[in-house]
Amino acid sequence: MEFVNELTTYKEKKYGLISLHKLPVGKTARVKNLTNKGLSRRRLLDLGLIPDSIVKTERLSPSGNPIAYNIKGSVMALRKEETKYVTVEILD
């Protein structure tokens, strides 16, 4: 897990990419990469989180987890544990 966090920090600094769970409310981003594997990756792909798709953070739950995202016109609540492996590029 530490390696993933270090890698994310490196990407943030060098390429301006962040993990989806760090996208502020009201911001829109383009999905660049999914680094998770197995069923969780399959689930996110089925929900429409594919590379070059647009996602917007709609709102946070009172505890901050899960987070509601607008993906292709549908609002879905996803946990931070799922979205920390999705790398996005902020558009606005």
Side-chain angles (χ1 to χ4, degrees), residues 14-76:
K14 184 161 184 170
Y15 302 109
L17 303 176
I18 62 171
S19 293
L20 180 57
H21 74 284
K22 295 180 180 177
L23 184 66
V25 174
K27 295 287 185 179
T28 304
R30 181 182 314 275
V31 175
K32 300 306 281 182
N33 191 19
L34 282 81
T35 57
N36 55 348
K37 299 188 184 299
L39 291 177
S40 64
R41 179 183 172 87
R42 181 75 257 164
R43 180 172 182 264
L44 294 177
L45 290 170
D46 289 345
L47 292 174
L49 282 174
I50 58 175
D52 291 330
S53 64
I54 304 298
V55 60
K56 179 181 179 184
T57 303
E58 292 290 338
R59 65 184 73 110
L60 297 173
S61 68
S63 66
N65 194 19
I67 303 170
Y69 298 99
N70 187 328
I71 305 166
K72 298 185 177 184
S74 299
V75 178
M76 296 171 220

